[in-house]
């Protein structure tokens, strides 16, 4: 169980604002452990993943963030990652149907 391995309920948490996808993923992880945000100390609610990363680096608490967001801080030994399974998220590509699709956009979409 995650909470027994590293004290999820005992650590202060830095979270995204209510309604964000990152916050929903965090709430799902807590729910899978039989917890809710009411059961943990939420030290800060911040509007961006980068703000969460900075707050965790400053010692404000733990956070659930993408490896893409934390990679530079982990590589520089400013943060330590704890790997655990998160729920899959679905993303959408949105674009205006009447706008020209540039070569870079076409190539990006092809990668997806």
């Amino acid at each position: 169980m995650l909470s027994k391995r590293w004290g999820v309920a005992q650590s202060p948490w830095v979270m995204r604002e209510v309604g964000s996808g990152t916050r929903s993923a965090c709430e799902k992880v807590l729910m899978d452990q039989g917890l809710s945000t009411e059961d943990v100390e939420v030290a800060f609610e911040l509007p961006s993943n980068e703000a969460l990363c900075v707050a965790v680096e400053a010692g404000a608490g733990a956070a659930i963030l993408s490896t893409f967001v934390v990679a530079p801080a982990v590589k520089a030994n400013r943060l330590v990652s704890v790997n655990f399974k998160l729920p899959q998220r679905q993303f959408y590509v949105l674009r205006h149907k009447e706008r020209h699709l540039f070569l870079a956009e076409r190539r990006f979409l092809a990668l997806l």
Side-chain angles (χ1 to χ4, degrees):
M1 183 174 197
L2 182 64
S3 58
K4 289 182 180 176
R5 278 202 323 245
W6 59 283
V8 67
Q10 289 76 39
S11 299
W13 281 87
V14 182
M15 293 189 177
R16 285 290 305 269
E17 73 280 8
V18 173
S20 76
T22 302
R23 174 70 174 248
S24 296
C26 184
E27 289 172 346
K28 172 77 170 103
V29 168
L30 290 172
M31 188 173 60
D32 289 348
Q33 300 303 314
L35 301 168
S36 74
T37 54
E38 304 296 319
D39 299 314
V40 298
E41 176 191 347
V42 179
F44 292 100
E45 289 184 3
L46 298 169
S48 73
N49 289 338
E50 290 76 14
L52 264 69
C53 190
V54 169
V56 173
E57 282 187 59
I64 293 176
L65 290 165
S66 162
T67 56
F68 296 111
V69 172
V70 300
V74 170
K75 186 175 181 180
N77 292 317
R78 295 189 313 265
L79 292 178
V80 175
S81 66
V82 176
N83 293 321
F84 58 92
K85 183 116 172 105
L86 289 174
Q88 290 291 320
R89 291 176 55 189
Q90 190 167 10
F91 292 91
Y92 299 91
V93 174
L94 303 174
R95 59 176 295 278
H96 194 284
K97 66 181 179 179
E98 296 175 9
R99 295 256 172 127
H100 175 72
L101 194 61
F102 292 96
L103 178 62
E105 294 170 298
R106 286 195 305 269
R107 288 188 176 163
F108 177 71
L109 291 173
L111 287 172
L112 299 176

